[in-house]
Amino acid sequence: MNDKEKGLIFNIQKFCVHDGPGIRTTVFMKGCPLSCPWCSNPESQNFVPEMMVRDINCRGCGACVQACPRGAITITKTAGRKINREKCDSCLSCVAACLYDSLKQCGKYLTVAKVVNEVLQDKIFYENSGGGVTLSGGEPLSQPAFAKKFLTACKKEGLHTALETSGVGSWTSMESLLPVVDLLLFDIKQLDSDKHRKTTGIKNDLILENLQKAARLGLSELWLRVPLIASFNDSENHIRQIATLGIELGAQKISLLPYHEGGKAKSKQLGKTYSYEQGKAPGENHIRKLKHLIEKEGLAVTVGN
Amino acid sequence: MRAQTLTPENLRKQFVSRAIRNIKRGYADDESGRGMFRSEIRLDLQRSRLMTESYKATEGEAMVLRRAKALANILNKMGIFIRDYERIVGYQTAEPNGIFHPIEQNWKSPQRLANSPAGKTLLDDAGRKELDELCKYWKGKSISDRHQAVLPEDLKKYWTYEGTFLWSQLSELGIPNYEKLFNLGLQGLINEIREKMARLDQKIPADYVEQKDFLTASIISLEAVINFAKRYAVLAKESAVRQKNATRKKILEEIAETCAWVPANPPRTFIEAIQFFYFIHLVRYLEYSTLGIGVRIDYLFGPYYEKDLKEGKITKEETLGILQLLWIKLNELGLVYSPTVSSVYSGVASLQAVTIGGTDEKGRDVTNDLTYLTMEAAKSLKIIEPSIALRVHEGTPDEVYSRATDVIKTGIGYPSLFNDEALIPLYERWGVPKNEAKQYAVSGCVYIEIPGKNVVRRSVGYFVLPKCLWWALHQGVNPKTGEQHGAKTPDPATFKSWEDVLEAYAEQVKFFTSKIETLERINNELLTQYAPRPFYSALLDGCIEQGKDCRRWVYNSLLHHFSQVIGGTNVADAITAIKKIVFEDRKVTLPELITIMDKNWAGREDVRLACLNAPKFGNDDDYADEIARIVQTRGEAAMEEVKDRFGHSHRGDGSAVSATYGLAADTPATPDGRFDREPFADSTLAPAPGRDKKGPTAVLKSCSKISTVNTFNHLLNQKFLPKFLEDDLKPAFLSYLKTWKKLKVPHIQFNVVDRETLLKAKAQPERYSDLIVRVAGFSAYFVDLSSGLQDHIIARTEQTLT
């Protein structure tokens, strides 16, 4: 099987309790067409396996220097280990050489069968908690063939399936997945298309169109997920609009996910610059207000992950 | 009657914890300067004094009579008092902050302790002088003296702890038949003994004198207990007369009435049943140093509570108050352990656990109001003992799980959950009839008992499984001295597979089990001869009928003596690493690995990391888990090949206590990548700290692969953040518990505390003196643990959620 038939996965996380009902396993696909500056999983963005560097674990043994075919790694007494990301072509030879968990590969091409097997290990927990599997990302719609095969296999095993999506992808892809999705976790960042483009790089038209179509199709339960970023999307008015939209579309729940700095350290490990130093979560009182506001509109709300 | 007036906070201030600090790690000092006890605690010599006085007066009489008379002398003469908030009475010492030591068993360790920096606050100079005097009498007569005197020459070196096992003299377990006692009262029991004596007089069997002496001794001790209670009745009555406060006067009058009635007669009310129980519990400790409780609070006391409630004599609120008072009484019990034993009992007071939930003998659920009130009492007080053992089975109500979760969330480390679905089949393999198995209780840690049966179980000692593996890799020879200390197993250079390693390991387990069992067998003979228990025997089924002390026969089941095994996970991970690194990857040969390991991995971090990165138990990875299953089963089978003096198997037990830290100090580096002296994985099922990388569901899945039936009653510790047990996440936690039950993992308990709190408590102990952590089958004040043991707790994997 070549890598095209496999999925690029960067994490299979068991015991998730925020990505749908009950105890779940969340499968994170790597690669996302968006590049939201607040992203808490920057390792999910690129469509190739990457190297993550944890300098704290480095003992300076030099195994990575020897392993690198492009001479991208140097170790000096004064500067410690330096990795020249421009020279690096992500061959990951250094990762294989590192004994100390200092260089790690993020993202692996896995077969549907392998991922399903791992997911099935916790079947007894799903059964007792009303849980299941959540396919998340990155953006699963970017790997539609794998997503379809994987979710179909999970359904065949009797699992409850959830798909978390940013909504950025072709309608054809989404439409093909919905028959095997019990719960659609749809991310809404900003209803104003210009503001959306200014921060994420693209307009939200496609996203909202996919959302409307998916809701109209009515095959899956719908929860909306809103990353809460202070002074970007947390005004009462904006959140009320999202709630109104949710009710129109028949959503059952809105999850508010306050911004956190989880992406900062990981950006550094990936050799990226974290461009959202100004990012802030709304204050607790404000979040409470938003929660009540949505509840008043008649929708269930959860806060946090 | 009005409920007690002290709040839980004020009640907590009424006692000074008897918890001990670990001042040793193996034989080495572990912050011994801190003192083994809180500085307010005093070694109370009255039991030793009165026992010695009686022994001197009864020279030449049958030992069983001497024991009874010594107990009677203590109960008749010991100083008694009632504190001004009490409604349940009775102390084991003459002062509130006292502890006693069973001098007739071993006088050397308290004498040594009282004269060392670790125990200097226990006695003043006059006390030390009196202790010296008392010790003179016991020289050559204590059980410990006699034990060392009779040991065969080749066994002497195993009597001294060298790292493979620590044989221990204390720790005798068992649960009286309280149901029978409550039906008869001690007077009824005495009548039963008299009838037996009358029948005996008609027959004159071959052991007539032995039986008659035993029965007479039982009557002497039971009468002494009745008299002991009556002394409290008189004291309470006198105090009531002088008492001006009307509320308190009424309570003193109630105490007087209660103590005049029980334990002589069957209890008529809930408070009488509780007081009855407490007198028995107290004297059980005083007669012979023991541990635990095991009483099934809801099942035993439920009928008395319900009757009182129906008759309007009691309210729920008042019952909660009584349970809180009982909790305080139980915290007044303690023991003086030897400094070496402090290494394995760090933070322990009396290792007491009460049992709630589960079923009756017919399998019906026993949950009642007391099940919830017991948890409520624990939640309100937040103290280390008694731990609550919650039995769960198919019919356990959802409400029980939910309320238990609320108590666990407070961080006190209990209730710990016991899974009937895993454990009852184990007892059946042990030979316990199913109807009796269904009535099991937990007396402390994961010590399993069948209430009322003559199961005088002893925790024989602490058994270090990784050290057995280490001997197997050295052919049983100490590389430093060249001495053949373990079994002579084959040269590892000849091993062709990991199974060869396993067999050599099993051989070593069997070898050292036979050593510890032989030590115990001799000790048991001595206890039978020199420390019969005429009081306790009368509280058990069968001793009166047979006219025999409980140590002279055994209830016909295989629920018997055990060693607390530690480090099973490390052995499993080590053998897995050998399979992977040596026999599959061929990175090093086995002799090379042993050489590298014996240098504590110096210069060969690559080999250590290869071992460390080999598959590990606890990740739901069949490669590692399957070997763990085999290692655990094979190790237990090897242990069970060794039989005790009644022909029953020596067994493993999951209690583990703090030995996973304390005794790891004497095991050099092992092939799981562990360094010399590094603590083992805690409990008997937990993955090695930090090696479980797949979260809590994977841990449970791995544990479910270890067969309880083919091994023993394991212990599993898990650590969670408080937020996972509350609000909208609580349902997920409840379903996790239910899945634990379905997976037939025998036990689980939780530390619910975040890492930051533990780090702060380590840095500023004075601000965290009440912080409780779960160590093994017991909870302890974090500040009582030495810094190394604190790190051992901090290092345990914190299960997070996403």
Side-chain angles (χ1 to χ4, degrees):
Chain A
M1 187 178 281
N2 63 34
D3 285 355
K4 272 192 180 159
E5 288 170 18
K6 295 180 180 174
L8 180 59
I9 310 290
F10 77 90
N11 194 9
I12 300 175
Q13 179 84 48
K14 293 177 174 182
F15 199 55
C16 292
V17 291
H18 288 106
D19 300 334
I23 295 175
R24 312 185 71 79
T25 296
T26 301
V27 176
F28 292 91
M29 308 208 66
K30 189 159 158 46
C32 182
L34 290 172
S35 46
C36 309
W38 57 75
C39 184
S40 60
N41 285 328
E43 75 275 32
S44 73
Q45 293 175 343
N46 283 351
F47 286 89
V48 288
E50 288 173 275
M51 173 180 51
M52 289 182 89
V53 183
R54 287 188 194 147
D55 281 327
I56 196 167
N57 290 347
C58 179
R59 312 265 180 101
C61 72
C64 52
V65 179
Q66 292 192 353
C68 180
R70 300 171 68 96
I73 310 178
T74 53
I75 297 182
T76 57
K77 267 194 182 154
T78 43
R81 181 177 58 193
K82 290 279 171 230
I83 298 172
N84 184 338
R85 291 268 182 179
E86 311 226 310
K87 278 192 187 173
C88 171
D89 68 347
S90 294
C91 75
L92 304 174
S93 308
C94 55
V95 171
C98 179
L99 282 170
Y100 300 95
D101 249 13
S102 176
L103 300 174
K104 292 202 76 159
Q105 176 176 350
C106 174
K108 274 186 187 155
Y109 290 99
L110 302 174
T111 63
V112 168
K114 173 134 177 71
V115 182
V116 170
N117 277 342
E118 187 153 349
V119 167
L120 284 176
Q121 286 189 308
D122 274 8
K123 192 173 182 187
I124 188 168
F125 290 94
Y126 315 147
E127 286 168 354
N128 283 315
S129 67
V133 63
T134 300
L135 186 62
S136 179
E139 178 47 64
L141 294 182
S142 299
Q143 301 183 54
F146 179 90
K148 170 88 185 182
K149 273 189 209 149
F150 171 71
L151 290 168
T152 306
C154 289
K155 281 311 298 171
K156 218 179 241 170
E157 293 289 345
L159 302 189
H160 176 272
T161 55
L163 173 71
E164 185 182 20
T165 177
S166 66
V168 183
S170 76
W171 169 247
T172 324
S173 299
M174 185 175 273
E175 192 183 24
S176 75
L177 296 183
L178 290 174
V180 282
V181 170
D182 294 310
L183 169 64
L184 186 60
L185 303 168
F186 208 111
D187 296 0
I188 299 291
K189 296 164 180 93
Q190 174 56 260
L191 293 176
D192 182 305
S193 200
D194 282 338
K195 280 189 188 164
H196 198 281
R197 186 184 47 81
K198 234 172 121 187
T199 317
T200 67
I202 62 163
K203 292 184 148 218
N204 67 10
D205 307 16
L206 175 66
I207 297 172
L208 293 179
E209 197 185 313
N210 280 338
L211 173 62
Q212 297 275 1
K213 284 179 176 168
R216 224 172 299 137
L217 205 57
L219 290 174
S220 327
E221 195 175 327
L222 176 66
W223 293 6
L224 301 183
R225 286 159 76 95
V226 184
L228 272 188
I229 323 284
S231 57
F232 168 65
N233 65 1
D234 69 333
S235 75
E236 289 181 40
N237 197 25
H238 183 239
I239 296 299
R240 191 175 293 113
Q241 283 175 32
I242 292 178
T244 311
L245 177 67
I247 288 168
E248 267 176 39
L249 298 176
Q252 277 85 4
K253 193 189 259 188
I254 294 187
S255 305
L256 298 177
L257 313 171
Y259 167 81
H260 61 82
E261 283 193 344
K264 200 170 168 179
K266 286 194 274 188
S267 286
K268 205 175 157 223
Q269 293 176 8
L270 289 159
K272 292 183 177 176
T273 40
Y274 187 69
S275 55
Y276 210 60
E277 296 291 347
Q278 78 275 24
K280 250 171 58 185
E284 273 185 35
N285 281 339
H286 187 61
I287 293 176
R288 215 171 295 134
K289 212 186 276 171
L290 297 178
K291 183 170 185 271
H292 288 154
L293 183 156
I294 299 170
E295 278 166 348
K296 243 172 103 186
E297 298 288 322
L299 269 178
V301 194
T302 57
V303 177
N305 59 357
Chain B
M1 185 73 58
R2 248 190 76 176
Q4 36 95 180
T5 48
L6 290 184
T7 61
E9 289 70 38
N10 282 327
L11 267 179
R12 264 205 308 262
K13 289 182 196 144
Q14 301 305 320
F15 76 97
V16 178
S17 176
R18 270 70 168 170
I20 61 165
R21 300 178 180 131
N22 53 312
I23 56 171
K24 293 268 184 189
R25 194 172 175 218
Y27 269 138
D29 271 6
D30 200 5
E31 301 173 21
S32 63
R34 295 185 303 159
M36 194 150 120
F37 292 92
R38 282 161 180 70
S39 59
E40 299 93 326
I41 297 294
R42 296 285 171 270
L43 179 57
D44 185 294
L45 294 176
Q46 83 173 344
R47 179 186 177 279
S48 298
R49 186 186 307 133
L50 293 168
M51 174 158 279
T52 310
E53 179 184 88
S54 175
Y55 261 70
K56 283 179 180 166
T58 57
E59 301 264 355
E61 295 183 39
M63 188 49 80
V64 70
L65 288 167
R66 296 183 72 190
R67 293 290 298 170
K69 287 177 183 177
L71 179 65
N73 199 46
I74 294 162
L75 296 177
N76 290 339
K77 293 184 185 165
M78 68 187 271
I80 62 167
F81 56 95
I82 297 170
R83 298 183 66 194
D84 59 12
Y85 62 91
E86 287 191 313
R87 216 176 145 182
I88 307 159
V89 299
Y91 270 85
Q92 25 169 244
T93 51
E95 299 203 12
N97 292 342
I99 40 167
F100 76 89
H101 176 82
I103 196 168
E104 74 278 22
Q105 285 185 61
N106 171 356
W107 53 270
K108 277 183 194 151
S109 61
Q111 194 183 41
R112 219 179 296 138
L113 182 64
N115 287 291
S116 75
K120 62 176 186 300
T121 54
L122 285 171
L123 286 172
D124 57 17
D125 288 343
R128 260 185 286 274
K129 211 172 147 199
E130 185 184 1
L131 178 62
D132 288 345
E133 278 305 309
L134 292 167
C135 289
K136 273 185 203 156
Y137 174 80
W138 292 101
K139 195 174 176 188
K141 295 192 189 74
S142 76
I143 301 288
S144 186
D145 285 320
R146 293 183 196 275
H147 198 201
Q148 288 172 78
V150 299
L151 281 183
E153 205 50 44
D154 66 331
L155 209 56
K156 279 189 177 154
K157 67 176 174 183
Y158 297 100
W159 192 84
T160 307
Y161 164 73
E162 56 68 45
T164 313
F165 63 73
L166 172 63
W167 174 81
S168 155
Q169 196 185 25
L170 299 172
S171 312
E172 192 157 286
L173 310 167
I175 305 173
N177 186 344
Y178 282 111
E179 275 177 273
K180 178 183 171 188
L181 295 182
F182 285 3
N183 282 332
L184 290 181
L186 294 193
Q187 198 53 58
L189 198 58
I190 291 169
N191 295 342
E192 189 184 309
I193 299 173
R194 289 201 201 287
E195 283 162 26
K196 162 75 187 174
M197 285 170 100
R199 287 199 302 277
L200 198 64
D201 289 344
Q202 301 293 311
K203 271 197 189 151
I204 319 288
D207 59 350
Y208 174 77
V209 176
E210 191 185 307
Q211 284 202 48
K212 190 130 189 188
D213 283 348
F214 163 71
L215 295 166
T216 309
S218 287
I219 292 177
I220 292 172
S221 17
L222 293 170
E223 283 177 339
V225 179
I226 294 173
N227 187 50
F228 182 56
K230 294 211 161 131
R231 291 179 62 208
Y232 276 99
V234 171
L235 177 63
K237 207 168 179 180
E238 287 168 3
S239 311
V241 172
R242 287 195 304 274
Q243 181 59 246
K244 297 253 161 39
N245 179 312
T247 314
R248 182 63 193 157
K249 193 183 189 78
K250 250 188 129 179
I251 288 176
L252 285 165
E253 284 165 358
E254 179 202 66
I255 294 172
E257 196 193 338
T258 303
C259 296
W261 185 258
V262 292
N265 304 293
R268 298 163 298 192
T269 60
F270 178 69
I271 187 87
E272 284 183 357
I274 294 280
Q275 180 67 65
F276 191 132
F277 153 74
Y278 196 67
F279 276 131
I280 300 297
H281 187 55
L282 197 64
V283 178
R284 197 167 71 94
Y285 269 66
L286 280 168
E287 181 192 38
Y288 178 85
S289 132
T290 182
L291 287 172
I293 309 178
V295 59
R296 299 181 67 187
I297 292 246
D298 45 5
Y299 181 62
L300 180 68
F301 296 107
Y304 298 92
Y305 160 77
E306 274 153 20
K307 183 168 163 281
D308 283 5
L309 196 66
K310 213 189 254 169
E311 293 171 4
K313 285 184 188 158
I314 207 168
T315 63
K316 260 193 192 183
E317 188 202 359
E318 189 185 351
T319 307
L320 176 63
I322 292 171
L323 289 173
Q324 287 167 335
L325 287 168
L326 176 64
W327 255 229
I328 300 302
K329 294 290 323 158
L330 295 170
N331 277 274
E332 293 159 359
L333 304 180
L335 283 173
V336 181
Y337 301 88
S338 82
T340 311
V341 171
S342 82
S343 164
V344 298
Y345 276 167
S346 321
V348 164
S350 292
L351 216 64
Q352 300 170 100
V354 296
T355 307
I356 56 172
T359 67
D360 64 11
E361 62 177 331
K362 295 210 169 93
R364 291 172 300 209
D365 182 67
V366 305
T367 308
N368 59 31
D369 278 0
L370 287 184
T371 315
Y372 300 112
L373 287 167
T374 300
M375 291 197 269
E376 191 56 36
K379 194 173 151 205
S380 66
L381 284 167
K382 297 192 192 67
I383 43 184
I384 56 171
E385 288 195 13
S387 177
I388 297 173
L390 169 62
R391 279 180 54 182
V392 299
H393 65 109
E394 199 48 46
T396 300
D398 284 354
E399 183 66 11
V400 170
Y401 285 100
S402 174
R403 299 274 284 274
T405 300
D406 296 342
V407 185
I408 292 168
K409 194 189 78 189
T410 65
I412 55 177
Y414 53 86
S416 63
L417 275 67
F418 289 75
N419 190 349
D420 284 10
E421 287 180 31
L423 289 166
I424 289 177
L426 170 68
Y427 310 150
E428 288 184 75
R429 177 172 78 87
W430 283 352
V432 182
K434 197 165 193 166
N435 61 329
E436 288 176 10
K438 284 183 179 160
Q439 299 193 68
Y440 82 93
V442 180
S443 61
C445 266
V446 295
Y447 301 152
I448 303 300
E449 324 261 359
I450 309 298
K453 300 300 172 199
N454 181 25
V455 186
V456 185
R457 301 181 82 201
R458 279 178 37 79
S459 160
V460 171
Y462 313 89
F463 198 92
V464 186
L465 297 171
K467 190 73 183 267
C468 293
L469 177 66
W470 186 84
W471 286 117
L473 298 175
H474 296 87
Q475 297 181 262
V477 175
N478 183 337
K480 278 188 192 148
T481 61
E483 179 201 4
Q484 184 77 44
H485 190 76
K488 191 161 174 42
T489 44
D491 183 350
T494 67
F495 291 165
K496 296 276 175 288
S497 68
W498 65 274
E499 284 97 339
D500 291 341
V501 182
L502 177 70
E503 281 316 303
Y505 159 72
E507 192 60 37
Q508 298 292 350
V509 170
K510 187 179 162 187
F511 177 87
F512 285 103
T513 303
S514 79
K515 296 298 174 202
I516 195 171
E517 176 56 44
T518 313
L519 285 170
E520 178 58 22
R521 185 178 300 196
I522 295 168
N523 178 59
N524 253 286
E525 286 299 330
L526 288 166
L527 291 173
T528 307
Q529 288 291 329
Y530 295 103
R533 298 181 68 181
F535 169 68
Y536 182 59
S537 298
L539 315 180
L540 297 171
D541 294 350
C543 291
I544 296 173
E545 290 89 321
Q546 300 190 46
K548 262 189 191 163
D549 185 86
C550 61
R551 287 211 175 87
R552 290 190 181 271
W553 67 286
V554 69
Y555 168 68
N556 194 24
S557 88
L558 294 172
L559 200 152
H560 210 49
H561 297 337
F562 57 84
S563 285
Q564 298 179 34
V565 292
I566 56 166
T569 299
N570 296 84
V571 175
D573 285 347
I575 293 181
T576 303
I578 291 173
K579 179 184 181 202
K580 181 86 172 51
I581 310 306
V582 174
F583 294 110
E584 286 178 9
D585 298 352
R586 304 199 179 270
K587 185 176 169 70
V588 286
T589 66
L590 189 53
E592 281 165 0
L593 174 63
I594 294 166
T595 309
I596 293 165
M597 174 186 101
D598 283 353
K599 290 181 186 149
N600 202 20
W601 312 101
R604 293 306 301 269
E605 189 68 357
D606 61 325
V607 176
R608 190 182 84 86
L609 284 163
C611 290
L612 211 55
N613 293 333
K616 292 278 177 287
F617 175 73
N619 295 291
D620 199 6
D621 172 353
D622 283 338
Y623 186 100
D625 297 349
E626 175 61 7
I627 294 177
R629 183 187 70 78
I630 295 169
V631 166
Q632 293 256 18
T633 307
R634 185 71 190 89
E636 175 64 12
M639 197 165 244
E640 290 185 13
E641 284 179 51
V642 179
K643 308 292 177 193
D644 73 4
R645 64 190 177 130
F646 293 111
H648 294 327
S649 282
H650 192 105
R651 296 188 177 287
D653 167 275
S655 296
V657 288
S658 65
T660 52
Y661 164 77
L663 302 192
D666 304 296
T667 298
T670 40
D672 49 336
R674 183 187 147 274
F675 283 114
D676 181 24
R677 295 176 60 79
E678 191 178 331
F680 301 127
D682 81 276
S683 69
T684 56
L685 274 187
R691 309 316 299 176
D692 50 332
K693 296 179 181 297
K694 294 274 180 174
T697 56
V699 171
L700 288 192
K701 286 287 302 296
S702 286
C703 291
S704 74
K705 297 174 201 171
I706 308 293
S707 158
T708 300
V709 171
N710 292 324
T711 53
F712 48 83
N713 46 315
H714 290 277
L715 187 148
L716 174 64
N717 255 322
Q718 288 287 277
K719 189 152 91 178
F720 278 99
L721 292 172
K723 68 174 181 188
F724 184 45
L725 282 72
E726 58 195 20
D727 301 333
D728 52 335
L729 295 181
K730 188 175 163 186
F733 184 78
L734 292 173
S735 71
Y736 161 87
L737 287 183
K738 287 194 177 162
T739 311
W740 159 82
K741 182 176 76 68
K742 278 217 170 118
L743 286 169
K744 296 195 184 347
V745 178
H747 170 271
I748 197 163
Q749 63 187 25
F750 301 92
N751 265 309
V752 180
V753 61
D754 59 65
R755 188 183 162 81
E756 285 68 38
T757 306
L758 294 176
L759 290 171
K760 276 190 226 158
K762 194 181 169 199
Q764 301 171 285
E766 62 290 343
R767 288 187 51 202
Y768 290 86
S769 59
D770 290 336
L771 180 69
I772 292 174
V773 290
R774 194 74 175 169
V775 179
F778 61 92
S779 295
Y781 295 108
F782 188 67
V783 295
D784 281 344
L785 314 177
S786 69
S787 151
L789 182 51
Q790 289 181 338
D791 290 340
H792 181 45
I793 307 259
I794 293 169
R796 288 177 189 170
T797 306
E798 191 171 88
Q799 301 294 4
T800 52
L801 56 157
T802 44

